[in-house]
Amino acid sequence: MSIEVKQVTKLYVDQKALDTISFEIKTGEVVGFLGPNGAGKSTMMKIITGFIPPTWGEVFVEGLDAVTHSMEVRSLIGYLPENNPLYLDMYVKEYLEFVAGIYKLPNKKQRVDEMIHQTGLEIEKHKKIGALSKGYRQRVGLAQALIHDPKVLILDEPTSGLDPNQIVEIRHLISEVGKEKTIMLSTHIMQEVEAICDKIIILNQGKIVANDQTLNIHQQAKSKTQVVHVEFNTDPKVEELDKISGVSSVKHVKPKHWIIEAVSENDVREHIFKFAVDNSYSVLSMQQKEKTLEEVFQELTKN
Ligand code: ADP
Ligand code: MG
């Protein structure tokens, strides 16, 4: 097991930021850490990286206790903190050499050159960090996190604040440099999770509300609720639609267009069709939609 979190609670004065959290991340897994702002994601990541201690509970990284062995744990982890704090007055190369020095790496210059190459910083390496675009600053942050070749990468919202092209670039870079590493990354972008994560952990108000393989989370949502988009020739009344067998909610999207949700063993489309025939409506179109991860997330984290 690469990361083990056991019954972790974190109090900030009397506020519970994390409430008896437990989970495990296996070696080589890429885990998406999701949750609304304030859910406790950054707090959990700071505890795993050994930067702050839990109030109660234990965290092990590669079998080492993050509190009692925090220095060893930090050397096993590459950490990109939220908002990527960097020394804006330092030059890219100078900064990475400084970081390499902190880790007391042998062949410092060679390792810095490798990182500059790997993260695509070649053309910007002689600039001050403050002069770089946000996308390039994120590359510097990743280079900093990877320079000591850690087994585990903890990335706190690595793509936040980037434009759509930069997001894709950084995402590719993470997949590329993260091969053979255990990765935990927090994000608000669901496509990101679907594109690169094996597993999803969703946090809400300091508690875990989902922890499963990305595929399973989709399937769970799918088996519970059917979502059907229907276009009628004229609008039925809400009360009529509500009475259809299995229907749990109906939404009028625009004239004649409805989204009908149902919880049922049978395909609700048959019931909708029968309802239309029995009541002399015509169904102009009908499509069953799978729930998106976004919708699953909203359901699990609404308060
Ligand atoms: P997330 O990263 O999911 O947005 P955080 O871990 O940053 O959540 O915050 C969880 C909760 O803990 C929030 O309510 C936040 O205000 C609070 N919090 C975070 N850091 C501190 C701190 N240093 N002191 C007091 N409260 C904090
Ligand atoms: Mg955060």
Side-chain angles (χ1 to χ4, degrees):
M1 211 56 71
S2 197
I3 298 175
E4 284 178 83
V5 173
K6 293 184 177 173
Q7 308 266 335
V8 164
T9 294
K10 180 69 184 180
L11 299 179
Y12 289 119
V13 194
D14 54 359
Q15 187 201 352
K16 230 181 229 181
L18 296 172
D19 188 355
T20 34
I21 297 281
S22 301
F23 62 86
E24 292 177 347
I25 298 179
K26 295 196 189 93
T27 305
E29 268 183 335
V30 181
V31 175
F33 202 44
L34 311 181
N37 287 332
K41 303 179 297 295
S42 298
T43 300
M44 189 70 248
M45 289 176 146
K46 284 180 205 158
I47 292 173
I48 294 172
T49 50
F51 278 85
I52 58 172
T55 308
W56 294 295
E58 293 171 304
V59 173
F60 298 93
V61 179
E62 303 280 323
L64 292 171
D65 188 311
V67 175
T68 59
H69 293 71
S70 79
M71 280 337 245
E72 288 101 314
V73 163
R74 283 186 212 191
S75 70
L76 290 171
I77 292 181
Y79 177 37
L80 179 61
E82 195 170 25
N83 306 320
N84 187 13
L86 293 167
Y87 297 102
L88 301 183
D89 273 332
M90 280 179 110
Y91 294 92
V92 172
K93 218 171 158 179
E94 178 195 17
Y95 171 68
L96 292 176
E97 280 169 9
F98 163 73
V99 177
I102 293 176
Y103 288 111
K104 302 193 173 68
L105 300 182
N107 315 323
K108 211 167 79 172
K109 292 226 181 295
Q110 187 196 332
R111 185 62 186 150
V112 167
D113 286 340
E114 271 170 30
M115 289 323 303
I116 284 176
H117 177 70
Q118 212 184 355
T119 55
L121 280 165
E122 216 67 77
I123 48 168
E124 306 285 46
K125 67 182 172 191
H126 297 301
K127 287 193 186 164
K128 277 195 177 178
I129 294 172
L132 301 182
S133 70
K134 247 191 137 174
Y136 275 92
R137 284 187 203 183
Q138 247 8 35
R139 287 169 192 260
V140 176
L142 278 173
Q144 163 277 131
L146 286 158
I147 200 157
H148 56 302
D149 195 23
K151 291 195 167 138
V152 180
L153 268 184
I154 306 274
L155 310 174
D156 198 352
E157 301 197 22
T159 54
S160 108
L162 302 183
D163 74 34
N165 293 338
Q166 293 169 332
I167 287 176
V168 173
E169 283 165 23
I170 293 295
R171 192 184 296 158
H172 283 317
L173 190 56
I174 292 170
S175 307
E176 193 56 36
V177 297
K179 279 181 192 150
E180 290 147 35
K181 295 198 190 295
T182 306
I183 304 182
M184 178 176 190
L185 92 157
S186 67
T187 176
H188 288 290
I189 304 171
M190 298 298 156
Q191 297 120 283
E192 195 148 285
V193 177
E194 296 183 297
I196 60 180
C197 298
D198 310 312
K199 220 174 102 174
I200 299 178
I201 296 175
I202 304 179
L203 216 57
N204 190 36
Q205 298 187 321
K207 291 195 168 81
I208 290 184
V209 292
N211 177 5
D212 209 336
Q213 306 299 316
T214 310
L215 271 176
N216 289 350
I217 288 192
H218 271 292
Q219 262 149 18
Q220 262 173 25
K222 208 163 68 181
S223 61
K224 268 193 225 139
T225 322
Q226 302 172 41
V227 184
V228 183
H229 291 223
V230 196
E231 184 188 353
F232 294 103
N233 62 331
T234 51
D235 272 320
K237 290 200 178 68
V238 178
E239 307 85 74
E240 290 181 295
L241 294 171
D242 266 335
K243 276 192 220 130
I244 298 173
S245 168
V247 166
S248 55
S249 86
V250 297
K251 198 155 78 186
H252 196 191
V253 205
K254 57 183 181 188
K256 301 176 205 164
H257 290 255
W258 296 77
I259 297 177
I260 300 179
E261 289 197 8
V263 182
S264 167
E265 294 291 307
N266 308 319
D267 191 337
V268 74
R269 286 176 299 181
E270 283 179 33
H271 299 301
I272 295 170
F273 196 75
K274 186 164 184 306
F275 156 83
V277 172
D278 291 349
N279 295 278
S280 308
Y281 294 109
S282 302
V283 173
L284 301 182
S285 73
M286 183 149 67
Q287 267 179 317
Q288 186 144 29
K289 300 269 181 193
E290 279 184 16
K291 269 208 171 165
T292 60
L293 192 53
E294 203 123 26
E295 289 165 323
V296 177
F297 176 85
Q298 281 169 358
E299 257 166 47
L300 288 170
T301 59
K302 75 181 161 213
N303 299 316

